[in-house]
Amino acid sequence: MRVSRRSLLAGVASAPATLAFPGLVPAAWSSEADTAEDGAAAATTQVPGIQRFSVGDIKVTAVLDGFFDFQFDWVIGMDEVEAQRLLADAFLPADRLRAAVNAYVIHSGDRTILVDSGTRDAFGPTLGRLLQNLAAAGVDPASIDTVLVTHMHPDHINGIVTAEGVAAFPNAELVVQEAEWAYWTAEETLSNAPDDFKLFVQLAQAAVKPYEGRVRLIATDMEVAPGVSAMALPGHTPGHTGYLVESGGDALLVWGDTVHLPMFHFAHPDWTVIFDGDPRAAAATRSRTFDMAAAERLKVAGMHLQFPGLGHVIRDGAAYGFVPAGWEYEL
Ligand SMILES: [Zn+2]
């Protein structure tokens, strides 16, 4: 199952610290200082990527880390004609598969809980804005007491550590599902990895290092923080985990990488991506999660859904659709 990754990452093997995803064209995004003389921001860069939602008494802040572009040949099982139809129907460019990288802050009582942490600089300059956007949301990294990890891929965990190897969240306990931890920290995972996959493993191992002594391993189907329980969503990685936030009869499932490509996956949950460790299990989990979310009218949040990544899954014939959540005027 990892063979398919080789072709994907073939061009990446020679890249040093930064994975060179060939689709990244970040001209506008990489310009930091687009500010006019009088201090007024010019309207050529986007405003901060933050948005707030309520789940009963719990508040959730969506925080954008950035975006990257999938390559079409990273999608397994895709029918090209159907793919072009879906892109056209969604008013999207025919030649680009843009995916957000989102993270979420859960404000539960006096607790400040971060779910995933973005990429830092692992995937190039269109990403790594998490800390900047947290600041815009008024969230001090030192105030985060818990980091919940959906899985240990670099676009989810690399943001927990600074480029200097220091914990980006100095007071946080790191919470990881036990099978996920076992896989990524095992010496043989690194030694058995194909060369072009080794960087993923090295980044995961380096990211967790400064958290030594304050890592909590969890099982699923259990409460892991006040109002938050862990849900097994395996397939994409061995211990891929969702976090169900519940308060006052309201609920939100932060589902990690259940969807990579919203333009395709609701219509075709069986299309997989080369990053899936076990593609068949990933697709099965996706369909099962869609069924559950649609049947229970459960609000969901996803790391690669278009920012802020919140909404509802609906049934659409034999397939599914997604209805994004709108702005909340009162929290
Ligand atoms: Zn991801």
Side-chain angles (χ1 to χ4, degrees):
M1 56 193 177
R2 210 160 297 134
V3 177
S4 58
R5 268 200 207 97
R6 293 180 191 212
S7 56
L8 153 72
L9 294 172
V12 163
S14 56
T18 295
L19 289 180
F21 277 93
L24 293 173
V25 247
W29 252 61
S30 60
S31 90
E32 295 279 352
D34 216 338
T35 304
E37 290 279 296
D38 61 0
T44 52
T45 50
Q46 187 51 280
V47 294
I50 49 177
Q51 194 169 329
R52 210 152 263 166
F53 297 84
S54 285
V55 183
D57 291 334
I58 296 177
K59 309 303 169 195
V60 176
T61 306
V63 184
L64 181 67
D65 189 59
F67 67 87
F68 65 100
D69 289 339
F70 267 74
Q71 303 297 293
F72 281 83
D73 60 5
W74 296 355
V75 188
I76 310 297
M78 180 186 75
D79 176 273
E80 284 186 28
V81 173
E82 171 69 353
Q84 286 302 318
R85 182 190 72 80
L86 289 166
L87 290 170
D89 285 357
F91 302 95
L92 290 169
D95 58 352
R96 192 174 79 190
L97 301 176
R98 183 152 290 178
V101 176
N102 305 324
Y104 298 91
V105 180
I106 299 168
H107 311 266
S108 177
D110 60 356
R111 301 284 300 274
T112 306
I113 301 155
L114 179 66
V115 187
D116 286 356
S117 64
T119 54
R120 205 188 72 215
D121 57 357
F123 289 154
T126 64
L127 291 144
R129 305 301 168 94
L130 180 87
L131 294 176
Q132 189 177 313
N133 282 327
L134 279 175
V139 177
D140 179 353
S143 73
I144 290 171
D145 53 65
T146 309
V147 176
L148 302 178
V149 176
T150 64
H151 63 298
M152 289 175 65
H153 275 164
D155 52 321
H156 300 260
I157 202 169
N158 210 47
I160 66 172
V161 62
T162 69
E164 293 73 38
V166 176
F169 306 104
N171 301 312
E173 178 182 47
L174 185 67
V175 177
V176 187
Q177 196 271 354
E178 53 201 2
E180 186 71 7
W181 178 267
Y183 175 74
W184 290 99
T185 58
E187 179 44 48
E188 57 270 27
T189 302
L190 183 60
S191 51
N192 295 342
D195 282 350
D196 42 22
F197 184 57
K198 278 195 198 309
L199 184 58
F200 272 50
V201 187
Q202 286 163 341
L203 285 171
Q205 294 185 353
V208 301
K209 203 153 198 165
Y211 292 83
E212 218 170 274
R214 48 193 170 111
V215 176
R216 176 160 50 107
L217 301 187
I218 54 164
T220 44
D221 295 324
M222 61 180 280
E223 188 170 65
V224 293
V228 185
S229 52
M231 183 184 289
L233 301 173
H236 179 53
T237 59
H240 184 258
T241 299
Y243 293 98
L244 183 67
V245 183
E246 292 175 288
S247 171
D250 200 3
L252 166 73
L253 173 64
V254 182
W255 73 14
D257 279 14
T258 295
V259 166
H260 292 91
L261 297 164
M263 62 289 265
F264 293 161
H265 276 151
F266 293 102
H268 295 283
D270 56 323
W271 294 5
T272 59
V273 297
I274 55 170
F275 300 106
D276 289 326
D278 182 341
R280 201 169 294 178
T285 290
R286 181 159 41 245
S287 291
R288 195 172 62 240
T289 309
F290 286 173
D291 279 336
M292 178 195 66
E296 296 180 15
R297 300 178 65 83
L298 179 64
K299 194 189 293 180
V300 300
M303 276 52 191
H304 300 307
L305 299 176
Q306 186 172 24
F307 184 78
L310 271 93
H312 291 86
V313 179
I314 53 168
R315 291 223 65 124
D316 182 5
Y320 306 87
F322 184 68
V323 181
W327 184 259
E328 286 187 19
Y329 299 93
E330 294 179 303
L331 292 174

